[in-house]
Amino acid sequence: MKKWLAYFQLMRLPAVFTAMSDILLGYLLTHNSFELPIQFALLIVASTSLYLSGMVFNDVFDRKVDAEERPSRPIPSGRISTQHAAVLGGLLMLAGVGAAQAVGKQSLIVASLLVVAILSYDSILKRTILGPLAMGLCRFLNVMLGASAVAREINLWVKPQLRIAAILGMYVVGLTWFARMEAKNSHRGHLLGGTLVINAGLAALVWMIATYPWPRELNLTMLLTALGVVVLTINRRLIQAILNPVPQNVQIAVKTMLYSYVMLNAIIVFVWTTNPQYAILTAALLIPTIVLSRWMSVT
């Protein structure tokens, strides 16, 4: 059990359910229902495999830094060797690409782009100014992966999925910027910059929901109220971290933003489909995230 726990910690298993919420959202944006369950299941496999591989390679490339800042992580603590971690990351990546290929050409293209973005972030870009942009690109592509199970003659790169993926990607750019120094006392400049980008993404989402010509009538007051609750919850934690930028406050803020990300996806699912069951299914992905986070880190 200790060995399994070490591997689950290496993959940061609780956070993978946020990636699943991207696939639910993206798939419903191009299908409106789960009419092709095998394709949907393969996209879930592709996304989760690629996401987990990214988490594994993150620790492989960061093993020297983690030895100083997070010595209890699986690789620096010696519970998992670097070689075994690299093999696991490679196998997960191959599984993700293989599952995407089984769905179709467009899914394979998006998954291949996602592989490039993941490896670029983990190996080179993470500690540069382009790091947050690379992570935002990963989330953008993950939503597009969910939307990719369409025929070749259909243009995947159109709204609404293109616009929604871009907005969620912007939110993750800000989240990543905010979280860059979460293992130690953060610089208020990073926190303020991340906060501005996060709220720009949230503002863009509010604007889109309020103005986009959705295919069905919506109770905008109810939806914007729900979105407002999420925005206030996020900003409460952001302000606490800015006022006192110790690791605990920043990590709580980051965890809150990850949880809220699932809720944002659930709200968009309801806006697009007006099906409360689909929205509840998306929001329910929070349950395993919260439960598993008691035993292993989400960030």
Side-chain angles (χ1 to χ4, degrees):
M1 286 301 296
K2 289 183 179 180
K3 196 67 174 179
W4 279 107
L5 181 60
Y7 278 105
F8 290 155
Q9 290 173 338
L10 177 68
M11 295 185 290
R12 291 178 173 84
L13 189 62
V16 75
F17 299 97
T18 68
M20 290 183 187
S21 73
D22 286 335
I23 300 302
L24 275 163
L25 170 61
Y27 189 85
L28 290 171
L29 287 173
T30 52
H31 292 80
N32 290 320
S33 68
F34 298 105
E35 58 198 42
L36 299 170
I38 295 178
Q39 285 191 342
F40 173 72
L42 286 169
L43 289 173
I44 288 286
V45 171
S47 176
T48 55
S49 297
L50 293 175
Y51 188 89
L52 294 174
S53 73
M55 289 296 186
V56 172
F57 280 123
N58 177 77
D59 275 26
V60 170
F61 287 109
D62 271 7
R63 60 191 182 278
K64 293 181 180 179
V65 175
D66 285 343
E68 297 179 3
E69 296 182 357
R70 299 177 178 181
S72 63
R73 292 292 299 162
I75 293 177
S77 67
R79 289 178 292 154
I80 297 176
S81 70
T82 302
Q83 182 180 2
H84 286 172
V87 169
L88 174 62
L91 290 174
L92 285 168
M93 195 159 277
L94 287 174
V97 173
Q101 184 180 23
V103 175
K105 183 177 180 180
Q106 300 221 58
S107 298
L108 176 60
I109 291 171
V110 178
S112 299
L113 292 172
L114 188 50
V115 166
V116 173
I118 289 170
L119 292 177
S120 297
Y121 174 82
D122 285 342
S123 63
I124 301 172
L125 300 178
K126 181 177 181 180
R127 299 191 180 278
T128 72
I129 194 172
L130 297 177
L133 292 174
M135 182 59 78
L137 177 62
C138 289
R139 280 292 181 170
F140 166 83
L141 290 170
N142 200 45
V143 176
M144 296 303 295
L145 180 62
S148 66
V150 293
R152 293 184 184 182
E153 59 271 15
I154 296 176
N155 184 7
L156 170 64
W157 307 95
V158 295
K159 60 184 182 182
Q161 61 266 21
L162 186 65
R163 183 179 297 180
I164 291 170
I167 289 173
L168 292 173
M170 183 188 300
Y171 174 86
V172 172
V173 169
L175 190 162
T176 308
W177 190 1
F178 190 93
R180 294 196 78 174
M181 301 173 66
E182 64 172 333
K184 51 188 177 182
N185 284 358
S186 296
H187 190 284
R188 282 197 174 91
H190 286 296
L191 299 183
L192 287 169
T195 297
L196 289 175
V197 177
I198 290 162
N199 280 284
L202 293 171
L205 181 58
V206 171
W207 176 83
M208 186 192 68
I209 289 177
T211 62
Y212 190 81
W214 300 105
R216 301 172 181 83
E217 291 186 5
L218 297 169
N219 186 338
L220 284 179
T221 300
M222 180 191 72
L223 287 168
L224 293 175
T225 299
L227 191 54
V229 171
V230 176
V231 171
L232 289 174
T233 300
I234 291 170
N235 277 280
R236 173 174 169 265
R237 293 300 187 184
L238 295 177
I239 292 170
Q240 286 178 340
I242 291 170
L243 293 176
N244 186 16
V246 296
Q248 181 181 5
N249 287 344
V250 174
Q251 289 167 11
I252 290 174
V254 172
K255 187 182 293 187
T256 300
M257 286 186 282
L258 285 173
Y259 293 165
S260 299
Y261 183 86
V262 176
M263 294 307 300
L264 293 175
N265 279 346
I267 290 171
I268 302 171
V269 164
F270 182 74
V271 168
W272 180 250
T273 66
T274 66
N275 187 321
Q277 294 178 336
Y278 293 161
I280 291 170
L281 177 63
T282 306
L285 291 170
L286 270 177
I287 297 173
T289 303
I290 293 172
V291 171
L292 290 173
S293 66
R294 296 178 181 179
W295 290 282
M296 59 199 82
S297 174
V298 179
T299 64

